[in-house]
């Protein structure tokens, strides 16, 4: 259990740079287009900027989650979603790592 929690903590911490890059990319799209922070949804960003990933991820999300939840996730504003996900993921990793290392 200890090694699993340490692994989860490190994954949460190591993915922070990727989430920061996606956040900055979303802000660049907002500043260089007519989209606003609120109007740039997950669906719009991924379908325009990463269409190969979008074509795989969208059907997969509707397979995993109920349709209402998947539709809600796709309609969340991209920059806000990535910022909150990055913030809480990093916080979780930094909080979990010392706790997991102290476990017997």
């Amino acid at each position: 259990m200890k090694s699993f929690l340490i692994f989860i903590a490190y994954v949460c911490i190591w993915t922070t740079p990727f989430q920061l890059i996606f956040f900055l990319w979303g802000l660049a799209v907002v500043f260089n287009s007519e989209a606003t922070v609120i109007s740039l949804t997950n669906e719009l960003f991924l379908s325009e900027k990463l269409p190969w990933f979008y074509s795989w991820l969208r059907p997969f999300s509707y397979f995993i989650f109920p349709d209402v939840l998947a539709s809600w996730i796709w309609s969340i504003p991209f920059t806000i979603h990535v910022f909150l996900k990055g913030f809480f993921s990093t916080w979780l990793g930094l909080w979990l790592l010392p706790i997991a290392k102290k476990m017997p």
Side-chain angles (χ1 to χ4, degrees):
M1 183 68 167
K2 177 181 177 177
S3 60
F4 176 72
L5 291 177
I6 290 174
F7 174 76
I8 294 297
Y10 278 128
V11 167
C12 287
I13 294 168
W14 287 340
T15 59
T16 301
F18 298 111
Q19 294 171 3
L20 182 62
I21 289 169
F22 275 104
F23 175 70
L24 293 175
W25 189 8
L27 284 180
V29 169
V30 167
F31 291 137
N32 294 323
S33 70
E34 295 180 4
T36 63
V37 171
I38 301 296
S39 69
L40 184 66
T41 61
N42 288 326
E43 182 173 14
L44 184 63
F45 180 83
L46 289 175
S47 66
E48 288 183 4
K49 302 300 178 189
L50 298 169
W52 56 271
F53 188 61
Y54 173 76
S55 66
W56 175 82
L57 188 62
R58 184 170 168 91
F60 184 70
S61 67
Y62 279 95
F63 177 73
I64 297 296
F65 300 116
D67 289 352
V68 174
L69 180 60
S71 295
W72 179 76
I73 291 170
W74 283 108
S75 67
I76 296 173
F78 179 78
T79 51
I80 296 171
H81 181 216
V82 171
F83 175 77
L84 291 175
K85 185 169 50 114
F87 178 80
F88 286 112
S89 174
T90 304
W91 172 81
L92 178 65
L94 292 174
W95 174 77
L96 186 60
L97 189 59
I99 292 173
K101 285 188 173 183
K102 289 180 185 176
M103 291 177 71

